[in-house]
């Protein structure tokens, strides 16, 4: 689709710009019915679209939602999750379509309002710092727990919630835009993929230090106990729905002071091209092997 | 969903009103892969949304499209159909999402522009005439042909095309709105259901004469040969994507003169409530039994 950023930007009258995006979640591809309730799925479909608007520096305003499952209870549960998320994120549900489908499927299309120019993926410049909001890896750790059936353990409750009920960073995104952030993207595919989008679109190189990634203690413990590397998971796991921001140091500092969530410097933008991940000052090779979490 | 009309109406800045809608098509529910190509499905998903905008008197402008099938070829074919329809109907594809799904699923969300007040389902008044654009029953006849595997017969080619590639009535809808049509709805569920929506929302009675329905000769012949009643099929078959318009006689006459498609008076709005279908001056009983074609 000819979109190429988190959202498309469209002028809808009165010289006012809006951002628009859509995301579809499909059972068996994005979630399993064994570990995500229809209500979770509806909630998340709205949240991931809200995150796309946040990544442009916009304010989410309206959604159109379509979908359904094999029976009316599934469809109703999904719609309840959609309404719950609309209320939580202050978005007005304009309507949409309910249908039945062998695999629970939900699509949300969103319109967000811009107060200034949108923050694109293409604006990163040599000398910028790279920062992320919140924390990385918790959602992927939660997915590990869900897939391994560990969810009855109390210690994974927070991780599972991070996966099923992401908290899009609307205030941080709008604040970053207002302060002059140069490029922004939401971390849906995972930092390793998403920083590459910024690098390629901006025509710059990016250096990210794995040692700087904000990883919570419970994520480190759980992921290590599962025999995985927490830093690699945090860089590649995906579905964090945090923001990656490229901006001059002063902007990052101001954002860290104003933001409602932590803002952590994880790297820098350099002349040239390509993305390098460092650990202890040494480049890290192939950060892949986590295809399960990847979106196309 | 809290929509209650063909589209929601939303003010997006500059005092300008827009209409928004979304429709999802799912394999096995809205079509079968044995008779609808992915390209047909993508095309139709845009067309039915364009029809919703037409029914408000709006001009379709932007779509967000999501969907996919079991493999990349299916998904690509569907996207090609979406782009073909966007070009045909003058709509700009803002983007969306591609995914994979066991059952080919496509969702289109649309934004249309209003030049004046929207034409709602609720405006019909005692003394209005009821008119429809184009013809009725051809799409349902085409679906009969597709389901019975008759499609190699040359005589059904036009009917099949009417089912797979509906032609939304954008010009007629906008013209009707400009002339002062009081109520409008697009015929997706079938005239019998859709006229009931107008009756209930407007708080009026509707009388429709089955003998007045515009049914083409090839539809009459094919449907009769299949042992069905063409008038009943035309009233209940659905998916015509024509417009039902309620307006004073002078408006209907002016619309008939200006419209690019035939406009046929099929009945009238009366005081009271309920919908009566007449044949030869006598009320016709239960116009149901065509559930296969019905949408929820």
């Amino acid at each position: 689709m000819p979109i190429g950023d988190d959202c498309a930007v469209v002028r809808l009258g009165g010289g006012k710009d809006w951002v628009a995006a859509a995301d579809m979640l499909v059972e068996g591809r994005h979630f399993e019915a064994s570990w995500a309730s229809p209500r979770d799925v509806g909630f998340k479909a709205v949240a991931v679209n809200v995150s796309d608007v946040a990544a442009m520096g916009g304010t989410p305003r309206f959604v159109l939602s379509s979908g359904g499952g094999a029976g009316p209870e599934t469809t109703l549960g999904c719609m309840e999750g959609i309404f719950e998320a609309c209320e939580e994120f202050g978005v007005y549900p304009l309507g949409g379509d309910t249908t039945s489908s062998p695999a629970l499927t939900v699509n949300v299309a969103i319109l967000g309002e811009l107060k200034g120019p949108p923050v694109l993926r293409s604006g990163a410049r040599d000398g910028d710092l790279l920062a992320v909001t919140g924390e990385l890896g918790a959602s992927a750790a939660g997915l590990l727990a869900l897939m391994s059936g560990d969810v009855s353990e109390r210690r994974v409750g927070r991780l599972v919630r991070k996966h099923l009920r992401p908290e899009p960073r609307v205030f941080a995104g709008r604040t970053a835009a207002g302060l002059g952030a140069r490029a922004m993207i939401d971390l849906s595919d995972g930092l390793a993929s998403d920083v590459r989008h910024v690098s390629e679109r901006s025509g710059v190189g990016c250096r990210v230090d794995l040692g700087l990634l904000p990883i919570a203690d419970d994520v480190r413990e759980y992921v290590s106990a599962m025999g995985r590397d927490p830093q690699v998971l945090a860089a590649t796991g995906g579905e964090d729905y945090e923001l990656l921001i490229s901006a001059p140091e002063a902007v990052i500092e101001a954002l860290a002071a104003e933001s409602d969530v932590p803002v952590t410097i994880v790297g820098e933008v350099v002349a040239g091209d390509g993305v390098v991940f460092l650990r202890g000052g040494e480049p890290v090779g192939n950060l892949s092997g986590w295809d399960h979490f990847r979106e196309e």
Side-chain angles (χ1 to χ4, degrees), chain A:
Chain A
M1 308 300 298
I3 190 165
D5 215 297
D6 294 282
C7 293
V9 180
V10 57
R11 183 155 294 180
L12 295 177
K16 205 173 160 79
D17 286 338
W18 292 73
V19 290
D23 275 296
M24 182 178 273
L25 302 184
V26 182
E27 182 182 333
R29 169 145 180 87
H30 299 95
F31 62 90
E32 296 294 342
S34 57
W35 51 255
S37 73
R39 192 173 180 122
D40 290 332
V41 174
F43 185 97
K44 189 164 178 175
V46 174
V48 303
N49 277 280
V50 167
S51 183
D52 282 328
V53 170
M56 306 294 283
T59 302
R61 290 291 186 215
F62 303 104
V63 294
L64 288 162
S65 314
S66 306
E73 269 185 45
T74 305
T75 303
L76 185 65
C78 179
M79 293 298 150
E80 285 173 351
I82 288 170
F83 287 120
E84 184 188 341
C86 285
E87 202 172 323
E88 171 124 2
F89 304 128
V91 186
Y92 187 82
L94 285 178
D97 192 15
T98 56
T99 182
S100 63
S101 170
L104 174 58
T105 302
V106 55
N107 186 83
V108 170
I110 196 163
L111 275 177
E113 205 173 351
L114 287 176
K115 295 285 185 200
V119 185
L120 306 178
R121 297 176 176 182
S122 53
R125 293 293 171 263
D126 177 15
D128 281 357
L129 294 182
L130 294 170
V132 297
T133 59
E135 61 170 314
L136 302 182
S139 171
L143 178 56
L144 277 181
L146 288 165
M147 291 176 65
S148 61
D150 272 356
V151 290
S152 63
E153 294 184 47
R154 209 180 48 171
R155 64 182 177 139
V156 300
R158 189 186 81 88
L159 310 181
V160 163
R161 212 158 48 242
K162 288 296 257 184
H163 186 76
L164 295 177
R165 301 277 176 137
E167 300 167 79
R169 302 310 188 187
V170 175
F171 180 77
R174 201 166 50 207
T175 304
L179 289 168
R182 285 181 166 143
M184 202 150 55
I185 188 171
D186 80 321
L187 297 176
S188 52
D189 298 347
L191 179 63
S193 295
D194 291 320
V195 74
R196 190 165 295 117
H197 294 312
V198 170
S199 161
E200 288 170 359
R201 293 236 152 217
S202 298
V204 294
C206 293
R207 294 163 63 91
V208 176
D209 188 335
L210 287 181
L212 296 177
L213 303 188
I215 306 172
D217 288 344
D218 57 351
V219 175
R220 287 184 196 278
E221 279 168 29
Y222 180 72
V223 172
S224 299
M226 296 288 283
R228 309 270 194 168
D229 182 322
Q231 291 178 350
V232 172
L233 186 80
T236 60
E239 300 215 41
D240 300 299
Y241 299 105
E242 299 290 354
L243 298 175
L244 171 68
I245 300 150
S246 179
E249 185 172 7
V251 170
I252 300 290
E253 278 174 9
L255 175 62
E258 291 187 31
S259 171
D260 56 339
V261 289
V263 173
T264 307
I265 294 166
V266 298
E268 58 183 345
V269 175
V270 295
D273 57 22
V275 175
V276 178
F277 279 84
L278 302 166
R279 172 138 64 179
E282 295 296 313
V284 179
N286 184 17
L287 271 183
S288 64
W290 286 86
D291 283 322
H292 181 87
F293 302 112
R294 296 273 171 83
E295 305 288 315
E296 267 172 9

